[in-house]
Amino acid sequence: QVELVESGGGVVQPGRSLRLSCAASGFAFSTYGMHWVRQAPGKGLEWVAFISYDGSDKNYGDSVKGRFIISRDNAKNTVFLEMNSMTVEDTAVYYCAKKATGWFGEFLDYWGQGTLVTVSS
Amino acid sequence: IQMTQSPSSLSAVVGDRVTITCRASQSITTYLNWYQQKPGKAPKVLIYGASNLQSGVPSRFSGSGSGTDFTLTISGLQAEDFATYYCQQTYSVFNTFGQGTRLDIK
């Protein structure tokens, strides 16, 4: 069965960096695009970033563009989110999610359990 | 692309028929998905491509719409349906979610 497990969350000071990982299993990881989505405490979902199956295409939300970097290691079935110049507004639960694609467009068919990132001095 | 859901919250009882609306700031054809999220859990897809029911999702959930206006309908609310619902557009590579609709028990 498909499983996505995020790790790397924790408490970080403003201006510092943190790297999240998402380990995937149960599907052909190297053939699927992957997304990161976050949710601030008590708030709604915010799309963060996308990486294509081979890493050649990357897109970012406006609030993280220029600060966050998404990458993947298909040999290790893992997707990463490197977060730099962090601010208190980056405090959220971060989810990785697998992209499903077809004639209907795309949607996120599997999600991890999330990892909490808290930016605080 | 901005996604606006209405209402932001609503109260209902078991057995009710409930409709949630999502409006896009420009046409997204049918590249619209609906998710359900329960407290402390990851979201779960219900409807994709505006009207296609994801495998394993009960048939009381249905979606419709195209262009800029979309609806999620739950026919015959069950206790397990009380949750927050989000729409998502994937017409643009810069995906966006609606702000969410919280459905709770009246």
Side-chain angles (χ1 to χ4, degrees), chain A residues 35 39 47 104 106-108 112, chain B residues 31 33 35 37 42 48 90:
Chain A
H35 290 259
Q39 186 169 37
W47 174 74
F104 45 80
E106 65 173 269
F107 62 94
L108 304 178
Chain B
Y31 293 142
N33 308 312
Y35 298 84
Q37 187 182 33
Y48 61 90
T90 58

Side-chain angles (χ1 to χ4, degrees), chain A residues 9 15 31 38 40 47 53 58 60 65 68 78 86 96 101-102 111:
Chain A
T31 65
R38 70 184 181 182
W47 174 74
Y53 71 100
K58 303 175 185 180
Y60 299 93
K65 197 175 300 183
F68 287 15
T78 303
M86 298 184 73
C96 68
T101 307
W111 297 62

Side-chain angles (χ1 to χ4, degrees), chain A residues 35 37 39 43-47 50 57 59-61 65 95 103-109 111-113, chain B residues 30-31 33 35 37 40-45 48-49 52 54 86 88 90 93-99:
Chain A
H35 290 259
V37 176
Q39 186 169 37
K43 303 297 184 182
L45 302 173
E46 180 187 10
W47 174 74
F50 165 77
D57 189 23
N59 303 115
Y60 299 93
K65 197 175 300 183
Y95 297 99
W103 57 266
F104 45 80
E106 65 173 269
F107 62 94
L108 304 178
D109 59 349
W111 297 62
Q113 83 288 352
Chain B
T30 57
Y31 293 142
N33 308 312
Y35 298 84
Q37 187 182 33
K41 300 294 186 182
K44 164 190 165 183
V45 64
Y48 61 90
N52 300 281
Q54 171 67 337
Y86 295 93
Q88 177 207 26
T90 58
V93 296
F94 306 103
N95 296 178
T96 44
F97 290 90
Q99 82 279 15

Side-chain angles (χ1 to χ4, degrees), chain B residues 37-80:
Chain B
Q37 187 182 33
K38 296 182 178 178
K41 300 294 186 182
K44 164 190 165 183
V45 64
L46 302 174
I47 301 288
Y48 61 90
S51 61
N52 300 281
L53 192 68
Q54 171 67 337
S55 176
V57 174
S59 59
R60 61 181 179 272
F61 291 92
S62 64
S64 65
S66 66
T68 60
D69 295 313
F70 302 86
T71 58
L72 172 70
T73 300
I74 311 172
S75 301
L77 266 176
Q78 299 297 303
E80 60 267 29

Side-chain angles (χ1 to χ4, degrees), chain A residues 12-83:
Chain A
V12 60
Q13 292 180 328
R16 303 298 291 266
S17 299
L18 199 64
R19 189 196 201 200
L20 304 182
S21 300
C22 171
S25 61
F27 66 103
F29 179 75
S30 63
T31 65
Y32 288 92
M34 297 293 294
H35 290 259
W36 285 97
V37 176
R38 70 184 181 182
Q39 186 169 37
K43 303 297 184 182
L45 302 173
E46 180 187 10
W47 174 74
V48 174
F50 165 77
I51 187 167
S52 61
Y53 71 100
D54 61 355
S56 63
D57 189 23
K58 303 175 185 180
N59 303 115
Y60 299 93
D62 286 343
S63 62
V64 307
K65 197 175 300 183
R67 299 188 301 121
F68 287 15
I69 300 171
I70 190 171
S71 62
R72 65 190 297 158
D73 184 340
N74 284 344
K76 296 183 177 179
N77 287 357
T78 303
V79 61
F80 304 98
L81 186 68
E82 181 180 342
M83 304 182 291

